[in-house]
Amino acid sequence: MKNKKRVYLFGDGKAEGDAKMKELLGGKGANLCEMNLIGVPVPPGFIITTEVCTEYNTLGKEKVRELLETEVKKAIAYVEKSMGKKFNDLKNPLLVSVRSGSRVSMPGMMDTVLNLGLNDQTVDALAKKAGNERFAWDSYRRFIQMYGDVVLGMKPKSKEEHDPFEVILDEMKEARKVKNDTELTVDDLKELVKKFKAIVKKVLKKDFPTDPWEQLYGAVYAVFESWMNDRAVYYRQMHGYPEEWGTAVNVQAMVFGNMGNTSATGVCFSRDAATGENIFNGEYLVNAQGEDVVAGIRTPLEITLEGSKRWAKLQGVDEKTRKKEFPSLEEVMPELYKTLYDTQLKLEKHYKDMQDMEFTIEDNKLWMLQTRNGKRTGASQVRIAMEMLKEKMIDEKTALNRVEPKKLDELLHPIFTPEALKAAKAITKGLPASPGAATGQIVFFADEAEKFSADKKQVILVRIETSPEDLRGMNVSQGILTARGGMTSHAAVVARGMGKCCVSGAGNINIDYKARTMTVGTKVYKQGDFISLNGSTGEVYEGQLATKTPELSGDFAALMKLCDKYTKMNVRTNTDTPHDSAIARKFGAQGIGLCRTEHMFFEGDRIKAMREMILATDEEGRRKALAKILPYQRKDFEGILEAMQGLPVTIRLLDPPLHEFVPNEKENQAEMAKEMNIPLKTIKFRVDSLHEMNPMLGHRGCRLGITYPEITEMQTRAIIEAALNLKKKKIKALPEIMIPLIGTTAEFVNQEKIIRETAEKVFKEKKDTIEYLVGTMIEIPRACLVADQIAAKAEFFSFGTNDLTQMTFGYSRDDAGKFLQIYVDNKILAADPFQTLDQEGVGQLVEMATNKGRSARKTLKVGICGEHGGDPDSVVFCHNVGLNYVSCSTFRVPIARLAAAQAAVK
Ligand code: ADP
Ligand code: MG
Ligand code: MG
């Protein structure tokens, strides 16, 4: 253990690691190494590996320091030599930043400490050496503030508290009557430092640490600790990242963006993270450091001239004002701009993906501080993947894998209808930070957003600016609106990552957290008032705006076509109306995997006939009622079969227990009695007799068809007649009749006989025939065990994984809400098995039944029609098991198509 390498060096075009070593060095560190290797200027530094984080958690501070000591000393010496400076030196002191970095980027999760190594002595040396006292003291006050917040834990823990350093800084600015910290004088800064140190002493009863080595180890420990903080834990849970990954620590020589007007700092993207447009963009601040750009303290400026002009147009700023007050980096530092432009091109070409970069300009020299594959919206993922494919930067399989199936959801989400937009009144405009349309009630605090959302209310989280503490609240909101901050503010970046609509930097709104109001001009909006956001234009509207589904064309259509080229599985949809069938076809559904007939029984007069049937005391009465339902069903089936144009349509025979069709409340029963002209008592008696203790395990599924064969007969007749009618119109129809809830082969044989005999009868009557299949839903564990026997009779299987999960676990779907979340929280279950297929248990049954079934019938068609059919992970599982198709709700069809294609190219 002693001899393990724990520290990796980089600098001066050399590095001990590279981009492939993300697991050991974290994403940031691995890319810092890689940038060095390809000749991009990066300040020298070193990385303490993610393995040390795990050691820290098990061995503790002292032991870890012992393990690190020699290597860290050597590493600092390496950086000293490269920079020609010395740590803790009284002539030319080396300052470093301490940065966290896990293998995937977790925005805002871990805090960075800058300017480490300063104390009352080194600050003078720094001032003298740089010939810039202001810069030295600005760095010092920043250091105490960051170190105090992050390492010493003085950052406020609740929303009511203020950051003590911010309070002092604000008071100072007020006293000096200045707006920006850049306007403070050297003496102001010196006084700030004094006050900062005093507050540290007051709160912690300890002096601020002056020894740079102590500062360094303190910061390293803090990074490791932050891996376990609540926010980081929540983020990991949200994304399913394991705790064992750990975070690396990056220690890197400081370069200074706060050395005056020839220095700057910024963030940039090689393409547009919101839309995917191939346009370099980003934001910068002159004479600033580190996180000033993303923190929304000063409003950052656009890097490119084009971006600046677009921004001005959105904000209603005229060209003269723009040029004077909000110039782009391209105008202010044209040569450095050119270098930055070339560097981002080089990085994108090297990584073959859109890059999200951080840079600092120190006295007219550009340094890159970070690069990573940029987070982006679903729309942007699709556009960038398809355009990079066209540019031949990546191949087809890579393009397919560049889009996260779940993210397609955003593209399928509603947008505002043109009519609603026309009638709407925009109350203000901010920056289009993350596209989409959102409408909901105003809330001002993240925890209140969670409360509203728990009550099934849709909310818009309105904040002056967001911070990582707001993550949970953002996650449950429809959209986010902030008064401050640019396109790379915390709100914007996180919202894009979540695929949430966000409007940032809407400067015209005044937020009063105490009163819980938002004022625009003279109009006051209270908590609970409705507003709507357009994340694509930055517009904010009063009230609730109507939305509609977007068109799917261009790059999206091209991506879908690419899916079809590689996929081995079909994707069908679960729907039971001609209208939804048509939408599903547009989304590329290759059939209907589940058409639930019971939904058809509720419309209009049908429910009356249905109730008549249920109330009937003998077969004759039931047949009379069923005869009334037949024409409705036939018409419905005709519509659906026609919409699917010869694609297979799986129609499930009546499944739910009959009590679902009769009223349970007294008033409704009385109404029904009047309508049907029978005594209330009779109805009440019949309804009571339908009552079951455990209806989901009761008289439902094929058990209905077996007790009332005339129902199966009627439904079969409706299906076959519908198909024959279409055939007359030269429209091809391929019905697949599905018997629900089969547990034994005999049940299947009983129902199949009725179906086939009825079909033959209809064929004879109409003197024509059609093709059709008879198969079964597999949703009872016993059916899986005897799947070979069933398959000897059945022509297809469709796994009803909702019921199969319910019965395999013995969890009632209707009652599991009481404990499932607790199970997930306590890691008793990895995920809600009703959302993500339990591959280990339920999946084993699916696999076994598929194999057994195919052993008895080679050509057995097998699919899945539970909610899982649209869950990307479950789709991959279905591919691996060799299913013929998955079937899911209409809006998930494109997601399933992509997941299926990705499974095929893996
Ligand atoms: P995050 O993961 O939150 O982005 P980083 O470690 O990237 O945190 O640090 C945030 C910012 O701090 C960087 O974008 C950069 O501007 C600044 N920074 C970090 N290290 C240095 C350094 N060595 N010199 C100058 N600025 C730095
Ligand atoms: Mg940060
Ligand atoms: Mg960063």
Side-chain angles (χ1 to χ4, degrees), residues 589-656:
Q590 288 146 311
I592 291 179
L594 178 61
C595 171
R596 300 171 168 98
T597 50
E598 59 269 20
H599 291 180
M600 303 171 175
F601 288 123
F602 284 98
E603 263 173 59
D605 286 344
R606 306 166 188 205
I607 189 70
K608 273 193 215 155
M610 187 67 186
R611 287 171 175 173
E612 211 179 302
M613 185 209 69
I614 294 170
L615 286 179
T617 44
D618 56 7
E619 188 187 323
E620 201 195 319
R622 277 193 297 276
R623 282 191 185 278
K624 229 175 90 193
L626 285 166
K628 290 185 193 167
I629 300 173
L630 174 71
Y632 291 125
Q633 287 242 295
R634 188 173 52 220
K635 200 160 148 264
D636 286 336
F637 292 142
E638 254 185 74
I640 291 168
L641 289 165
E642 182 171 358
M644 295 313 283
Q645 295 284 320
L647 293 171
V649 174
T650 306
I651 299 168
R652 179 176 71 183
L653 301 182
L654 190 65
D655 181 52

Side-chain angles (χ1 to χ4, degrees), residues 483-498:
R484 256 193 255 164
M487 293 290 283
T488 46
S489 65
H490 178 267
V493 172
V494 174
R496 281 199 294 272
M498 288 178 174

Side-chain angles (χ1 to χ4, degrees), residues 513-563:
Y513 285 142
K514 258 220 189 102
R516 289 182 164 64
T517 59
M518 162 185 123
T519 313
V520 188
T522 53
K523 176 110 201 202
V524 180
Y525 297 88
K526 294 191 297 292
Q527 170 169 309
D529 288 349
F530 278 95
I531 53 168
S532 301
L533 306 179
N534 186 339
S536 313
T537 63
E539 257 136 352
V540 182
Y541 301 94
E542 195 177 283
Q544 280 174 290
L545 266 59
T547 53
K548 67 161 196 163
T549 51
E551 296 291 325
L552 301 175
S553 53
D555 291 324
F556 186 90
L559 174 69
M560 286 295 116
K561 220 170 134 195
L562 197 57
C563 289

Side-chain angles (χ1 to χ4, degrees), residues 28 99 112 291 356 358 369-370 372:
K28 199 180 284 168
R99 323 169 62 187
T112 299
E291 310 223 286
D356 166 354
E358 293 167 13
L369 289 167
Q370 190 173 339
R372 61 185 166 205

Side-chain angles (χ1 to χ4, degrees), residues 28 43 96-100 106-108 110 112 114 252-256 265-266 289-291 358-360 369-370 372:
K28 199 180 284 168
V96 296
S97 65
V98 176
R99 323 169 62 187
S100 64
M106 291 166 59
M110 315 271 178
T112 299
L114 302 179
Q252 192 177 21
M254 279 301 297
V255 288
F256 301 100
T265 187
Q289 226 186 23
E291 310 223 286
E358 293 167 13
F359 66 91
T360 285
L369 289 167
Q370 190 173 339
R372 61 185 166 205

Side-chain angles (χ1 to χ4, degrees), residues 93 137 349 440 447 641 754 770 779 833:
W137 285 91
K349 271 213 183 103
D447 54 350
L641 289 165
I754 298 172
I770 50 124
E779 48 198 332

Side-chain angles (χ1 to χ4, degrees), residues 614-616 658-659 662 664 669 681-693 699 708:
I614 294 170
L615 286 179
L658 295 181
H659 75 86
V662 291
N664 284 299
Q669 289 180 356
K681 236 172 63 194
T682 314
I683 293 185
K684 209 177 155 302
F685 178 76
R686 184 66 182 134
V687 171
D688 287 348
S689 75
L690 285 174
H691 175 81
E692 291 177 320
M693 295 307 288
H699 195 186
Y708 307 124

Side-chain angles (χ1 to χ4, degrees), residues 10 17-35 47-50 99-106 227 245-250 351 355-356 369-373:
F10 61 86
D18 61 37
K20 288 196 253 0
M21 295 168 72
K22 288 198 173 71
E23 293 178 17
L24 186 65
L25 304 180
K28 199 180 284 168
N31 283 332
L32 285 171
C33 289
E34 185 86 5
M35 282 198 285
I47 304 149
I48 303 174
T49 67
T50 53
R99 323 169 62 187
S100 64
S102 61
R103 64 172 86 173
V104 291
S105 76
M106 291 166 59
W227 180 249
W245 282 2
T247 177
V249 186
N250 304 283
Y351 285 98
Q355 294 300 295
D356 166 354
L369 289 167
Q370 190 173 339
T371 194
R372 61 185 166 205
N373 296 337

